[in-house]
Amino acid sequence: MNKKMIELDGSLGEGGGQILRTSLSLSMITGQPFRIVNIRAGRSKPGLLRQHLVAVQAAAAVSGAQVTGAQLGSTTLEFIPSTIRGGDYQFAIGSAGSCTLVLQTLVPALLYADAASTVKITGGTHNDMAPPAQFLQKAYGRVLQQMDAEVSFELKRYGFFPAGGGEIIASVTPCAQLKKLDILERGERLKGYAESFIAGVPADVAKRELQCVGSDMGWSQDQLLIRGLSNDQGPGNVLLITLEHQHVTEVFCGFGEKAVKAENVAKRAVQELREYVASGAAVGEHLADQIILLFALAGGGSFTTSQVSGHAKTNAGVISKFLPVHTEFSVQEKAFLCSMRSLR
């Protein structure tokens, strides 16, 4: 195994936290140390924020790593992993920073641990610019299941921006080898429904969001569901639209904000859904961002996606630093094909 220090520039590609998270996952799995400079250089507040720092601290705890530069605001980090250990872990972000992004750093690595694991993360569970907890459960989790990985995500408490206070528990069973997949078609639609979650927010907000979805999608009342949460979990509102197909499940979301009409929240989510449906692709842009690492760990596979984001391209570049895997994106009629193959 090549233990040479891998040098990474966090300003490349989309210049966000994805470079750090993917590097942490692959460093733990491969045992290869890395040094990254210019962390999150492409963001308005560069360097490590709370959720990124917790991801580093959690990765270090799970893999017994030596770390230099793990402080808030740090733009340079050195990470030297040891052995991935299963067990029961708890990490607190201490803000509304994303629990789901921390989990997506840890879960792939814990598949290679010496024993089963549970990981409890407290912080934000539903905030903009990060996948909501239900995305992990229904979309990302389903792909893991199809790859023969035993992983579950339990949402114990909602945490909205800016208060946070949410809680998610992931359970991970080690997996000797992820199964290669080809997800080229989504297949027949089996279910479609929308849920508006509200905590400390007037019920009228949820009704208006769902009325908008129902009107735009032509859905019946039994597909439009108000999910009232206890006020102490708010204030907060998220609209989730789920499409379950034969081969893949997708979750589209819109987050309620001050001074933003409920109808506009719904229309943004519906627009993203419609672009996905029109593309004919199997997976949406955000799911593609997340599963590209899993496909690389499986040693290859392919999927069609509605969009190739900066995250996906950046991920492919980071993966090539740690694994002998070649990733190719090609244009189809209305979608894109991502093909991955091992160079071994």
Side-chain angles (χ1 to χ4, degrees), residues 130-271:
Q134 287 88 346
F135 179 92
L136 291 193
Q137 292 172 321
K138 300 174 183 179
Y140 182 75
R142 182 174 178 185
V143 174
L144 279 167
Q145 183 182 37
Q146 290 170 317
M147 301 181 89
D148 292 342
E150 293 182 38
V151 179
S152 65
F153 301 96
E154 182 182 3
L155 175 58
K156 301 289 287 186
R157 178 184 168 87
Y158 286 70
F160 295 99
F161 179 84
E167 180 180 317
I168 307 178
I169 299 177
S171 300
V172 185
T173 300
C175 178
Q177 176 61 51
L178 290 174
K179 175 185 174 183
K180 287 186 183 179
L181 281 186
D182 293 299
I183 312 179
L184 303 178
E185 298 179 351
R186 63 180 78 130
E188 178 186 355
R189 186 186 299 181
L190 306 177
K191 289 182 184 177
Y193 56 93
E195 303 166 283
S196 180
F197 295 83
I198 50 170
V201 171
D204 183 60
V205 170
K207 291 177 182 177
R208 287 161 55 201
E209 286 175 348
L210 294 172
Q211 284 172 356
C212 186
V213 174
S215 175
D216 286 354
M217 297 297 296
W219 284 358
S220 60
Q221 200 61 39
D222 62 355
Q223 294 173 280
L224 308 172
L225 309 165
I226 295 178
R227 306 293 197 194
L229 306 171
S230 60
N231 288 346
D232 66 343
Q233 297 185 72
N237 160 241
V238 62
L239 171 68
L240 301 177
I241 310 176
T242 302
L243 296 183
E244 182 181 323
H245 290 90
Q246 186 178 357
H247 304 303
V248 69
T249 298
E250 270 292 358
V251 179
F252 304 90
C253 58
F255 294 92
E257 301 175 58
K258 285 184 178 180
V260 177
K261 290 183 178 180
E263 290 80 5
N264 290 339
V265 172
K267 286 185 181 299
R268 283 201 295 258
V270 170
Q271 180 61 30

Side-chain angles (χ1 to χ4, degrees), residues 49-87:
L49 299 181
R50 283 292 310 168
Q51 69 189 38
H52 310 104
L53 179 58
V54 172
V56 172
Q57 293 168 336
V62 163
S63 66
Q66 300 176 39
V67 186
T68 305
Q71 296 94 28
L72 284 174
S74 176
T75 57
T76 302
L77 183 87
E78 187 172 287
F79 188 88
I80 304 174
S82 183
T83 304
I84 301 171
R85 299 293 187 192

